[in-house]
Amino acid sequence: MTDLLNLVDWSRAQFALTAMYHWLFVPLTIGLSLIVALMETIYVRTGNVKWKNITKFWMTLFGINFACGVATGIILEFEFGTNWSNYSWFVGDIFGAPLAIEGIVAFFMEATFVAVMFFGWNKVSRGFHLASSWLTAIGVSLSALWILVANAWMQSPVGMTFDPAQMRNVMTDFWAVALNPVAINKFLHAVFSGWALAGAFVVAVSCWLLWRRSNIEAMRRSLAIGAWVGAIGLLLTMWTGHGSAVQVARVQPMKLAAMEGLYNGGNGAPLVGVGILRSSDEIAAGGDPMLWSVEIPHGLSLMLDMNTTGYVPGINDIIAGKARGADGTEITTESYAERMVAGAEAKAYLARYNTARANGDSTAAAAYADSVAANFRYFGYGYLDSPEAAVPPVHLTFYSFHIMVAGGALLMLVFLAFILVYWRRRQMLEKPWLHIAGILSLALVYIVSQAGWIVAEVGRQPWVIQDLMPTGAAVSDVPVSSVQTTFWIFAVIFTGLLVAEASIMVKFINSSAKKNIETQN
Amino acid sequence: MDNIANLQAYWWLLIAVLGAALVFLLFVQGGQTMLYGKNSVGDRQMMVNALGRKWELTFTTLVVFGGAFFASFPLFYSTSFGGAYWLWMLILLSFVVQAFSYEFRRKKGNLYGTRFYDILLFANGLFGCVLLGVAVGTFFFGGDFTVTRSNLLDAASPVISRWGPLHGLEAMACWKNVILGVAIFFLARTLGALYFTNTISAGSAFTRRMRAITGGNGLVFVVFFVTFLIVLLLQGGYREVDGHMVAENNIYLHNLLNMWWFTVTLLVGTLMVLYGVFRSALSHNWYGGIWWAGIGVFLVVLTLFCIAGYDGTAYLPSTADAASSLTIANSSSSLFTLRTMTYVSFLLPVVLAYIIYVWAKMNASPITEEEIKSEHHLY
């Protein structure tokens, strides 16, 4: 069991490493592809060649980043098989379909038209080139759609049933999977956050060149587009983020409780603005989990259903079987201890079903299959040792969530400030402190973006599929030493890749400072 | 069409099509292994840029090949990928380094120098081809694994697919797999040289050199491929009959005889490859070899996949437990998923159409030094 835990931990670490590096590159690809397409549209509509050259400047940065996203993306896809082989079998019937659609619909579109985007300036018409830039941007976003459909399904499994004969889940409703509200919200949240990240990137690079008093007109124009795309993206990210929290309250209440550090809930639950959690041991010993906090009274209840007295269960309440009803009132459901019993029974009935089927006793097999179905909702709890094992790492989830929210709010102020300055006080764009603020916003947006993913993925632990399969049951049968080895190989490659990318970008941006971007690209 | 056996066959065909397209597109990898040698800096620049405009297609085809396998035959995905861990990880690593090498190799500030990225491209060309060949070899020569679905009920050890202790290293040590891997490597080099001949206009010396490489590598490929074919026709395997795995000698020979149309596609494909390669090697002014050889390769690989999986043949025979061997029937997705995915697959002709259209547009004129000099985005 210890070995299995080690294997699970290292497999998770490897997947997290890959996903986090991937998520450094992908949102920039998503957002920058849109910004490049917008700039090229201005060029095609106005015929102003300066815009063509500005487009090429940002397209070069897009290209440097694009390759890194591709490199890390392929590993993620294959790691579902190499490191999570049991998972691949258990839900491959449902999960594989979005991945295949992603390849057929999105990746080929991206791969084909990105070549025209980079190399087609002298080979195709202006209209065809512009269409290629937009198709690349659409392809990039479509890639995000299907992988997020798959990810959302893991957080909120719908449109499937368990087939005891094959010992796996099978899809019964494709549209329920594809149009899962969690998936739609997650997709929009991820894409809009990509706009915000790319907006901050454009603002930061523009500010850097403005600070160096280079290409002032081109960078001011770029900065305006970056700030607008960033502000709109971030506003929409906040909107979908709220939608996401409401959905989390419905389908993953434990994650919401961890996000808020809420151990003991109740009616009119407060929203923590800032806070420091006590250590896990201190919390387990009883008392207030918060060492210090600034809270908005009734804020959490209000946020979930515009009702200041609505019930929100805490971690201890959820373990004890308390839940929030559709109308925001407290209801009683199965406690985690009862879910563990149900999960164990589902597994026991499944074993008996197998025996009956092997013996050719179809009547008994049918009866056991019914019993499996009756208990399958909590199948995953049958793998857990204790109810507490179903609680995610609260501290990491709590701090990540609050860093994301606070950082996002600060970033919005930065975008709005730049929009205001560009609109009403353009002479202020010469102020070095404003340039520094723009440059620092790049670090901020990456911290916010990574924190968001940590909330989404750490907050759902221990589940790889909510309530049905814990990570411990999803791994491959690989020696832990093998996973450790590949973890370090990937860590070295990704870090080397990131450093090289950053170095190339800095060099390119600095070399651009010495020339006129509007005429020399 | 709308029953599970037909849909399984349809999806195996799609897997075969993607696999065949992938092997053809490995000309990118083959080309990457011949950047140095007698090529001038200018030649190398044109070669890299000729390949660089296509590398994403190969890469995407590999990704879609994996995704399609996951969607249609998830038990293969979980058994082979999770079991032959080192084989797939090394394939992945070899392709990961390719993805950024093109973009970074000549950029200022790339930290490690152009030569470093070119070495990575060479490594991708060499190891990517050989290891993909080894992986495809396991379709015929098997893997050291068992599948026990009831393991799922054991909380302490729930993994259903278990591979032997070497986790894919043994597949790399199997000489039969290696023969296929080496054959694919030399095929990729041959196709790479044919692609350069077709795409780059760099003077007669360059073209002569490419034609010589085509002939030399083509010959080595033929030797390894014929050896592989002989080994394959002598190879035994398993066939699923009434739900049981039955051992059968010369199973692939029998498949070729029973499904005679595959013998035809194999022969036609082989002849097209030979024609494309050797006419190109011997001619001074014929540039169409890549298309003859490319279509031929497509047909041959398509045939190999088909005889690996059709007619109840176990496409991943288990050397540890015959009953665990995977067939397209016992490893596929459900009827519902296959049917749904089939509707999506109807988009493939559209995808193929725009790929061909864009390819034709972008390759309308050959790559020259002048064209490279005028290009904004360079590798």
Side-chain angles (χ1 to χ4, degrees):
Chain A
M1 195 68 183
T2 310
D3 280 349
L4 182 63
L5 278 179
N6 262 326
L7 176 63
V8 173
D9 290 342
W10 277 101
S11 300
R12 280 186 60 204
Q14 179 166 299
F15 202 85
L17 175 86
T18 317
M20 290 185 76
Y21 269 101
H22 189 53
W23 196 243
L24 285 176
F25 307 118
V26 167
L28 184 56
T29 300
I30 291 172
L32 211 48
S33 64
L34 172 76
I35 289 172
V36 165
L38 281 173
M39 288 175 168
E40 191 179 344
T41 304
I42 297 173
Y43 157 61
V44 171
R45 285 183 67 88
T46 62
N48 184 346
V49 78
K50 288 180 180 177
W51 275 108
K52 181 181 180 184
N53 289 322
I54 293 174
T55 303
K56 283 185 173 180
F57 171 79
W58 292 107
M59 195 179 277
T60 302
L61 292 170
F62 168 81
I64 295 165
N65 180 72
F66 180 78
C68 300
V70 173
T72 46
I74 190 174
I75 302 175
L76 274 183
E77 179 190 342
F78 282 80
E79 276 182 357
F80 286 118
T82 53
N83 293 86
W84 304 101
S85 70
N86 239 27
Y87 165 85
S88 297
W89 168 247
F90 194 58
V91 296
D93 194 66
I94 307 133
F95 190 85
L99 285 193
I101 296 172
E102 182 186 32
I104 294 169
V105 175
F107 285 167
F108 275 122
M109 185 189 281
E110 218 178 296
T112 306
F113 292 104
V114 83
V116 182
M117 197 171 154
F118 289 145
F119 305 107
W121 288 105
N122 304 324
K123 294 187 175 63
V124 298
S125 67
R126 277 205 301 196
F128 188 76
H129 193 277
L130 178 64
S132 299
S133 296
W134 277 107
L135 285 169
T136 302
I138 292 167
V140 166
S141 291
L142 279 178
S143 314
L145 171 65
W146 291 106
I147 190 63
L148 289 167
V149 162
N151 181 282
W153 184 84
M154 295 158 76
Q155 321 248 359
S156 169
V158 292
M160 42 73 81
T161 187
F162 181 71
D163 179 356
Q166 301 183 68
M167 304 279 278
R168 67 168 174 173
N169 295 283
V170 293
M171 185 154 57
T172 54
D173 185 347
F174 173 75
W175 293 112
V177 175
L179 301 177
N180 182 350
V182 177
I184 301 298
N185 205 87
K186 208 171 243 307
F187 165 65
L188 295 174
H189 192 59
V191 169
F192 294 147
S193 74
W195 295 7
L197 189 139
F201 177 81
V202 172
V203 166
V205 173
S206 303
C207 280
W208 172 250
L209 289 177
L210 287 173
W211 195 29
R212 298 190 60 179
R213 304 202 173 281
S214 161
N215 288 285
I216 289 174
E217 203 44 48
M219 286 305 108
R220 282 184 176 186
R221 291 176 184 194
S222 298
L223 188 144
I225 290 181
W228 271 109
V229 169
I232 293 169
L234 193 55
L235 190 68
L236 293 170
T237 305
M238 288 173 171
W239 170 56
T240 50
H242 168 71
S244 190
V246 172
Q247 283 169 346
V248 166
R250 185 173 57 81
V251 299
Q252 296 170 299
M254 183 61 88
K255 184 198 271 188
L256 181 76
M259 283 157 60
E260 276 296 303
L262 185 68
Y263 279 80
N264 301 300
N267 291 306
L271 187 71
V272 177
V274 203
I276 300 173
L277 277 173
R278 293 183 190 279
S279 71
S280 302
D281 291 341
E282 286 175 317
I283 294 170
D288 187 353
M290 287 290 170
L291 182 65
W292 172 82
S293 65
V294 177
E295 299 177 347
I296 302 169
H298 307 286
L300 189 56
S301 295
L302 184 68
M303 188 192 78
L304 294 183
D305 58 2
M306 302 306 287
N307 174 1
T308 55
T309 59
Y311 177 74
V312 183
I315 292 168
N316 295 330
D317 306 312
I318 296 166
I319 290 174
K322 292 179 184 172
R324 173 188 163 80
D327 57 355
T329 56
E330 178 184 338
I331 59 170
T332 303
T333 180
E334 294 86 354
S335 69
Y336 275 19
E338 289 167 333
R339 294 180 190 198
M340 286 173 65
V341 171
E345 282 184 357
K347 287 168 68 178
Y349 283 125
L350 190 52
R352 286 176 213 154
Y353 167 86
N354 282 339
T355 308
R357 198 158 165 264
N359 294 336
D361 186 350
S362 57
T363 310
Y368 289 133
D370 289 342
S371 299
V372 172
N375 292 284
F376 186 73
R377 186 180 168 198
Y378 298 124
F379 187 79
Y381 289 85
Y383 290 98
L384 302 182
D385 296 329
S386 68
E388 287 71 28
V391 178
V394 177
H395 289 73
L396 184 55
T397 310
F398 173 82
Y399 289 119
S400 300
F401 177 65
H402 286 84
I403 286 170
M404 177 187 75
V405 172
L410 189 57
L411 195 61
M412 183 54 110
L413 291 178
V414 174
F415 285 138
L416 292 178
F418 276 108
I419 289 171
L420 196 66
V421 164
Y422 187 81
W423 185 33
R424 303 302 295 258
R425 297 271 190 279
R426 207 167 289 187
Q427 70 278 12
M428 277 182 72
L429 285 174
E430 294 171 10
K431 301 283 184 196
W433 62 267
L434 202 60
H435 302 154
I436 292 170
I439 293 163
L440 290 178
S441 70
L442 186 61
L444 180 64
V445 79
Y446 274 107
I447 291 169
V448 169
S449 179
Q450 292 288 320
W453 261 116
I454 292 171
V455 174
E457 299 308 307
V458 175
R460 71 181 163 96
Q461 295 301 321
W463 303 113
V464 64
I465 308 158
Q466 185 68 36
D467 295 342
L468 300 181
M469 182 176 247
T471 45
V475 285
S476 301
D477 177 38
V478 185
V480 66
S481 58
S482 296
V483 184
Q484 286 168 335
T485 307
T486 49
F487 172 89
W488 289 114
I489 291 172
F490 285 136
V492 169
I493 290 178
F494 294 160
T495 307
L497 177 62
L498 180 65
V499 173
E501 182 195 274
S503 167
I504 291 170
M505 280 193 171
V506 168
K507 200 85 177 172
F508 172 72
I509 293 163
N510 283 338
S511 69
S512 301
K514 295 170 191 155
K515 62 182 182 183
N516 185 342
I517 290 171
E518 289 180 324
T519 57
Q520 289 183 31
N521 262 302
Chain B
M1 182 73 184
D2 197 19
N3 70 54
I4 192 154
N6 288 341
L7 288 171
Q8 285 162 342
Y10 173 73
W11 270 92
W12 186 254
L13 182 66
L14 285 187
I15 294 288
V17 166
L18 284 167
L22 177 62
V23 175
F24 163 59
L25 291 167
L26 286 178
F27 72 78
V28 173
Q29 273 63 27
Q32 288 168 193
T33 64
M34 52 180 84
L35 297 177
Y36 283 83
K38 292 178 181 171
N39 298 312
S40 66
V41 175
D43 292 342
R44 186 152 56 247
Q45 189 66 2
M46 283 186 281
M47 292 164 84
V48 170
N49 280 278
L51 297 172
R53 297 170 194 188
K54 297 287 178 277
W55 76 266
E56 262 228 78
L57 272 183
T58 313
F59 202 89
T60 303
T61 307
L62 174 64
V63 173
V64 176
F65 180 74
F69 240 131
F70 195 0
S72 50
F73 301 99
L75 190 55
F76 169 81
Y77 204 80
S78 67
T79 303
S80 180
F81 283 61
Y85 186 80
W86 280 110
L87 173 58
W88 289 108
M89 276 296 174
L90 290 174
I91 289 173
L92 268 183
L93 283 171
S94 79
F95 276 87
V96 166
V97 297
Q98 182 208 29
F100 55 84
S101 292
Y102 278 106
E103 193 63 45
F104 286 11
R105 65 183 289 278
R106 269 173 46 93
K107 293 274 191 304
K108 287 177 183 164
N110 70 17
L111 296 181
Y112 316 115
T114 301
R115 184 63 78 106
F116 173 78
Y117 294 99
D118 288 349
I119 289 170
L120 294 183
L121 288 177
F122 180 87
N124 168 243
L126 172 61
F127 297 114
C129 291
V130 173
L131 292 174
L132 275 177
V134 168
V136 174
T138 62
F139 285 19
F140 304 102
F141 309 119
D144 180 16
F145 68 92
T146 60
V147 177
T148 312
R149 289 185 173 89
S150 58
N151 285 350
L152 195 64
L153 301 174
D154 180 0
S157 186
V159 185
I160 66 164
S161 297
R162 295 171 188 274
W163 205 275
L166 295 175
H167 287 283
L169 293 173
E170 81 292 343
M172 289 182 252
C174 169
W175 65 270
K176 296 176 183 176
N177 292 338
V178 172
I179 284 176
L180 181 58
V182 174
I184 287 182
F185 171 65
F186 281 100
L187 172 66
R189 278 177 61 86
T190 309
L191 292 172
L194 287 169
Y195 175 71
F196 290 140
T197 309
N198 178 267
T199 313
I200 294 174
S201 177
S204 57
F206 177 82
T207 311
R208 261 201 316 276
R209 211 161 49 245
M210 287 304 124
R211 290 188 190 283
I213 291 173
T214 301
N217 284 272
L219 264 180
V220 181
F221 159 69
V222 168
V223 170
F224 276 91
F225 182 68
V226 169
T227 310
F228 165 76
L229 266 188
I230 293 168
V231 172
L232 184 70
L233 297 180
L234 297 174
Q235 178 70 27
Y238 298 109
R239 197 183 299 281
E240 191 171 16
V241 180
D242 298 330
H244 298 285
M245 289 297 163
V246 178
E248 184 175 323
N249 292 328
N250 307 110
I251 189 168
Y252 303 106
L253 176 62
H254 294 164
N255 282 354
L256 281 172
L257 295 175
N258 295 339
M259 298 179 278
W260 57 267
W261 49 92
F262 289 130
T263 308
V264 174
T265 52
L266 181 68
L267 287 174
V268 170
T270 305
L271 289 173
M272 287 181 76
V273 172
L274 294 175
Y275 178 75
V277 169
F278 292 109
R279 184 179 166 192
S280 193
L282 299 172
S283 166
H284 296 295
N285 55 2
W286 189 63
Y287 300 92
I290 181 69
W291 301 117
W292 280 85
I295 294 168
V297 165
F298 183 88
L299 288 175
V300 170
V301 179
L302 188 78
T303 304
L304 291 177
F305 270 92
C306 289
I307 62 169
Y310 282 150
D311 206 16
T313 312
Y315 70 83
L316 189 63
S318 170
T319 56
D321 169 36
S324 294
S325 301
L326 303 190
T327 65
I328 63 173
N330 70 17
S331 64
S332 85
S333 283
S334 64
L335 174 63
F336 183 89
T337 295
L338 290 178
R339 190 190 291 147
T340 305
M341 291 297 305
T342 298
Y343 295 134
V344 176
S345 74
F346 294 156
L347 287 172
L348 276 172
V350 178
V351 174
L352 195 62
Y354 70 65
I355 289 174
I356 291 170
Y357 179 73
V358 168
W359 185 308
K361 277 260 182 194
M362 300 295 286
N363 283 44
S365 52
I367 290 176
T368 60
E369 284 202 58
E370 286 68 38
E371 194 247 328
I372 291 289
K373 279 176 192 160
S374 69
E375 190 57 63
H376 165 256
H377 195 97
L378 274 182
Y379 291 133

